[in-house]
Amino acid sequence: MEGAGVLLRSGTFFLMRNDFSKKPAWPKTELELSGLDPEALEFMKAAERRRALEGAGLDPKKYDF
């Protein structure tokens, strides 16, 4: 059995796959885990980039763009 279903109270049915043993193709960076796109950050002005990093709870001094 590849997946198991979950029925929520509202009647919505979700199919969950058991792929927990597979590792991702590459590990995500701290930026990606925070929901930020590293490539997009490169094109931002320094003040915009600082606000985006601070908004994500990251230290802007830690990153060199």
Side-chain angles (χ1 to χ4, degrees):
M1 179 180 212
E2 185 175 324
V6 177
L7 181 61
L8 301 178
R9 288 184 185 189
S10 66
T12 305
F13 185 79
F14 289 95
L15 181 63
M16 296 171 38
R17 296 185 61 192
N18 296 330
D19 288 341
F20 300 113
S21 63
K22 295 181 182 179
K23 293 185 179 181
W26 61 86
K28 289 190 175 189
T29 65
E30 187 177 39
L31 293 172
E32 293 169 323
L33 291 173
S34 298
L36 298 173
D37 180 10
E39 292 179 13
L41 289 171
E42 291 179 16
F43 293 101
M44 291 182 180
K45 294 180 182 177
E48 292 174 322
R49 185 171 43 249
R50 186 180 66 249
R51 284 193 300 269
L53 290 167
E54 289 173 349
L58 301 173
D59 182 12
K61 295 176 188 174
K62 186 177 174 182
Y63 299 94
D64 181 29
F65 284 96

